[in-house]
Amino acid sequence: TEDGGASPRQQSAARLQQAEQLKAAGNSKFEQRIYRDAFALYSKAINLAPEVPTYRLNRAATSFMTADYDSCIDDCADALRLDPALVKAHKRLAKALIERGELEKAAAALDAGVAACGGEVLAEEVRTATQLCEWQREGELALEQGNATLARTFFANALQKTSAVRCRLSLVRAELALGLCDRALRTTREVIKQDANASEAYVLRALALFYSADLDQAHKHLKAALRLDP
């Protein structure tokens, strides 16, 4: 330029080079499992080069590893808006939706991925999502029909592939129907520790406590559930 400054193209190249350095540093932190630092570094890369989908995809990976599935889903969606054929983004989006317990949304997202990328590259993920939807559906149907033993089998199968709260609490419902209060108490305690706003976990824990004749604690947990979901 006439004033001796960098041209827009040079400025863009410099930003991209700096963003790549930040991504490399983020990758190093990710490999060390220092996810908070990795997240911050990827965020800086995104700010410098928001048009590069890989940075958002990498940040999504850190969110997934810290169980921040909402942020993971948002970053995957943004990455796919920039590059609809980004296979890893379709896979990671589906995984995050599954861990959120949104099994049907995961299957639908994979359908969109197949349309954009082809079926072969997402075949395993499609099989997993389809199987999870089927197990969840069959388990709920068995529970409705009073066959808690069969329902428990379906939900246990699902939990071999996901630790989604939806699937865990479905198993609790089956176990309570079979009188397995100790397991239900243990699982609901873990879920509440993981997510203090999981109102269904409080309800099911209250029921398990009631069956265990701990009426005071049952009442306490029911009140907590109502406070969360009036």
Side-chain angles (χ1 to χ4, degrees):
T1 58
E2 292 182 358
D3 61 3
S7 70
R9 180 176 294 181
Q10 289 171 324
Q11 292 173 2
S12 177
R15 281 196 301 271
L16 186 57
Q17 182 179 16
Q18 188 178 352
E20 282 293 306
Q21 291 170 348
L22 288 164
K23 184 190 84 167
N27 290 348
S28 177
K29 294 294 185 182
F30 187 90
E31 289 168 5
Q32 298 172 63
R33 301 184 180 183
I34 308 174
Y35 298 122
R36 182 177 295 180
D37 288 357
F39 185 96
L41 288 161
Y42 293 140
S43 295
K44 289 178 180 178
I46 291 168
N47 289 337
L48 283 169
E51 73 280 5
V52 179
T54 307
Y55 306 152
R56 298 178 190 274
L57 184 59
N58 287 11
R59 189 171 68 175
T62 67
S63 297
F64 187 89
M65 296 304 295
T66 56
D68 184 359
Y69 302 122
D70 287 349
S71 294
C72 180
I73 289 165
D74 288 344
D75 269 338
C76 286
D78 286 343
L80 287 168
R81 276 190 281 272
L82 293 165
D83 182 0
L86 197 57
V87 174
K88 282 187 178 180
H90 288 290
K91 291 183 177 184
R92 198 159 289 153
L93 173 60
K95 285 177 67 177
L97 286 167
I98 285 170
E99 291 307 312
R100 276 273 307 268
E102 298 183 53
L103 309 180
E104 297 79 11
K105 281 188 178 181
L110 286 166
D111 286 342
V114 168
C117 308
E120 187 173 336
V121 291
L122 294 169
E124 182 179 347
E125 288 74 19
V126 169
R127 280 195 299 271
T128 296
T130 301
Q131 185 71 83
L132 283 169
C133 287
E134 182 180 333
W135 280 334
Q136 185 68 26
R137 185 169 57 249
E138 293 294 334
E140 290 174 356
L141 180 61
L143 204 53
E144 288 175 10
Q145 295 175 344
N147 192 340
T149 300
L150 181 59
R152 187 184 181 213
T153 299
F154 281 123
F155 296 139
N157 285 344
L159 287 168
Q160 296 298 311
K161 295 183 178 292
T162 177
S163 58
V165 168
R166 175 186 177 186
C167 299
R168 296 180 74 189
L169 293 182
S170 293
L171 181 61
V172 166
R173 286 190 280 118
E175 289 176 339
L176 284 174
L178 294 168
L180 301 174
C181 294
D182 288 346
R183 292 176 62 90
L185 287 168
R186 184 165 60 250
T187 300
T188 51
R189 181 176 64 245
E190 291 169 356
V191 169
I192 290 168
K193 185 177 180 181
Q194 176 185 336
D195 180 3
N197 294 316
S199 59
E200 185 185 0
Y202 285 94
V203 172
L204 292 173
R205 186 168 177 79
L207 192 56
L209 288 163
F210 178 79
Y211 289 159
S212 303
D214 191 344
L215 302 185
D216 288 343
Q217 284 296 316
H219 183 252
K220 175 184 173 182
H221 281 77
L222 273 179
K223 285 178 66 177
L226 285 170
R227 198 161 51 243
L228 291 167
D229 187 8

